[in-house]
Amino acid sequence: MSDQPGNGSVDNKVICESCGARNSVPQGDGSYICQSCGWVQHDPIGTKAKTAPIKRRMWPALVILVALIAGAVIAWRHLHHHALSDTKVASSSAPATAAVATPNGNGNRQVTVQHPKIRVIDEGLDWTLDELFAPQLPLFDRSKLELGTFERIIDETGLPTFRAPLNNRSTDAIVINPVMDLRLYSTDGTSQVPASIGGLPPSLYPGEKAWVKIGDDDDIKPIARMDVHWHPSRGLSLPGPRRKANLEVKSQQMRTCHERIINGQGDFSFNYQCVDMVGTLHNTDTRSMKLIGVAVTYYDDDNRYVGSDSTDLNTILQPGDQVDFELHTKLLRKHGYKRFELQYYNQ
């Protein structure tokens, strides 16, 4: 067959668009007729006929090739990443290396706080971690603590002492370890801070009372007024930590006690009334009890304070256990007592 197109001769450079045969004969109008299938095409150069079959055959291969390359790259990166992660965790125990976490969350993790926010609180409050880091610290409402007027009472040595009732006016919260700053203003315009404040209880339930005392070791002048500042204290909701218990008084005896004081001014002896109490505390709760102590307060016929005492037990009672206690109370006013109040403190 001739390679040059001519009228009536086959041009084997032209590919039929229909059947793909190289058997087309050029016509006078520039078209080609395929001798195999009779297809007429009007492209004298035959570009479409040459390229179309090639494109249809190459596209599927190109798509498959691109997919294979992409899959290989993804698989290599996945395997390489896990190999690095496993190597870091297994080959080092340093905190900085161990702190690197893998995206899937299965690796080692260590949190370091660079600048922690620490809240400074008063000492002796015995906060738990849950209380310390709570969004709102469980503080007692200090406005519910009411310190009454100090009463001047002469002790057995003839010197004045001062006692005042402390009341928890809250109806639903217990105050734990109340601490206060106290300044006294006397009738002559001077002021002083007591060297010591006694009688503050380890806890005070709603409606309960304790007797605060000053003046045993100080020369307190007549008090005209006072300023009280309460430190932050823990506040616990009822029913609180108090366990069910039974206080039993086994014996109670009032007698005359003696005291001797020797100082630079001489040797002095004093007599005063005192009460010896022996009792037992039973843990009737179903839970164990960490016992802090027992306290007693005595009152006279006019319901006035005449003395108080407390004792620390510092023991743990299992359900059903019991512990004995003794209290030795010095009475003021020198005319005995009418009644007493007995209570215990526990955590």
Side-chain angles (χ1 to χ4, degrees):
M1 290 186 293
S2 173
D3 293 336
Q4 300 294 328
N7 190 18
S9 61
V10 175
D11 187 346
N12 58 9
K13 294 183 179 180
V14 177
I15 301 173
C16 178
E17 289 181 342
S18 177
C19 64
R22 297 175 181 272
N23 193 21
S24 296
V25 176
Q27 304 299 310
D29 59 357
S31 62
Y32 291 81
I33 298 177
C34 178
Q35 300 299 308
S36 299
C37 65
W39 178 262
V40 178
Q41 60 188 41
H42 300 279
D43 186 1
I45 302 177
T47 303
K48 290 183 180 180
K50 294 178 181 178
T51 59
I54 296 175
K55 287 183 180 180
R56 286 195 293 269
R57 287 193 296 267
M58 289 184 65
W59 271 112
L62 289 175
V63 171
I64 294 173
L65 180 61
V66 171
L68 290 175
I69 293 174
V73 171
I74 293 173
W76 179 85
R77 292 183 62 184
H78 182 74
L79 293 175
H80 182 68
H81 175 76
H82 277 282
L84 288 178
S85 299
D86 294 342
T87 301
K88 288 181 179 180
V89 173
S91 62
S92 175
S93 60
T97 303
V100 178
T102 57
N104 59 16
N106 295 326
N108 296 330
R109 184 171 182 265
Q110 178 174 313
V111 176
T112 301
V113 179
Q114 299 295 339
H115 301 288
K117 295 181 179 179
I118 301 297
R119 290 179 284 199
V120 179
I121 58 176
D122 290 355
E123 296 181 359
L125 297 183
D126 299 326
W127 298 98
T128 66
L129 288 178
D130 290 340
E131 291 168 335
L132 180 60
F133 291 102
Q136 182 177 1
L137 288 174
L139 295 176
F140 182 80
D141 182 0
R142 289 171 283 180
S143 66
K144 301 299 182 180
L145 287 175
E146 179 184 81
L147 183 64
T149 302
F150 279 96
E151 182 182 2
R152 183 175 182 265
I153 306 175
I154 302 299
D155 67 5
E156 74 281 3
T157 67
L159 297 177
T161 64
F162 295 84
R163 302 291 190 275
L166 171 63
N167 295 276
N168 180 2
R169 294 300 185 187
S170 173
T171 59
D172 57 3
I174 308 163
V175 60
I176 304 296
N177 293 328
V179 178
M180 68 174 174
D181 294 329
L182 179 64
R183 177 170 289 276
L184 306 174
Y185 295 87
S186 63
T187 54
D188 62 5
T190 62
S191 67
Q192 68 181 111
V193 175
S196 63
I197 301 174
L200 289 170
S203 64
L204 207 59
Y205 274 65
E208 285 189 342
K209 181 193 305 181
W211 285 87
V212 176
K213 61 180 180 179
I214 57 173
D216 287 351
D217 300 317
D218 295 329
D219 182 16
I220 302 296
K221 297 180 180 181
I223 301 173
R225 64 182 181 89
M226 60 185 179
D227 286 341
V228 181
H229 171 72
W230 291 101
H231 292 209
S233 299
R234 287 175 61 191
L236 298 179
S237 301
L238 293 174
R242 181 172 290 179
R243 301 292 193 251
K244 294 179 181 179
N246 180 47
L247 282 170
E248 177 186 354
V249 177
K250 293 183 176 181
S251 66
Q252 187 169 212
Q253 180 181 3
M254 188 172 69
R255 61 186 177 90
T256 299
C257 294
H258 305 278
E259 182 175 357
R260 183 180 181 185
I261 299 176
I262 302 176
N263 54 32
Q265 298 177 354
D267 186 347
F268 305 93
S269 295
F270 305 96
N271 297 329
Y272 57 91
Q273 291 179 323
C274 62
V275 181
D276 297 328
M277 176 186 287
V278 177
T280 302
L281 184 144
H282 299 260
N283 181 8
T284 58
D285 208 304
T286 58
R287 301 164 294 176
S288 63
M289 174 194 301
K290 183 179 180 183
L291 196 60
I292 300 300
V294 178
V296 63
T297 303
Y298 291 93
Y299 299 89
D300 64 9
D301 291 340
D302 296 325
N303 206 33
R304 296 182 301 175
Y305 170 92
V306 293
S308 60
D309 190 32
S310 63
T311 181
D312 295 331
L313 298 178
N314 294 325
T315 186
I316 297 178
L317 295 181
Q318 299 302 324
D321 288 352
Q322 66 182 45
V323 62
D324 293 331
F325 62 87
E326 294 184 6
L327 293 165
H328 305 281
T329 308
K330 177 173 61 177
L331 298 183
L332 305 174
R333 303 187 194 274
K334 299 180 180 181
H335 54 248
Y337 69 94
K338 177 67 175 180
R339 66 179 183 89
F340 66 89
E341 295 177 354
L342 189 63
Q343 65 189 78
Y344 68 94
Y345 308 99
N346 80 280
Q347 288 183 340

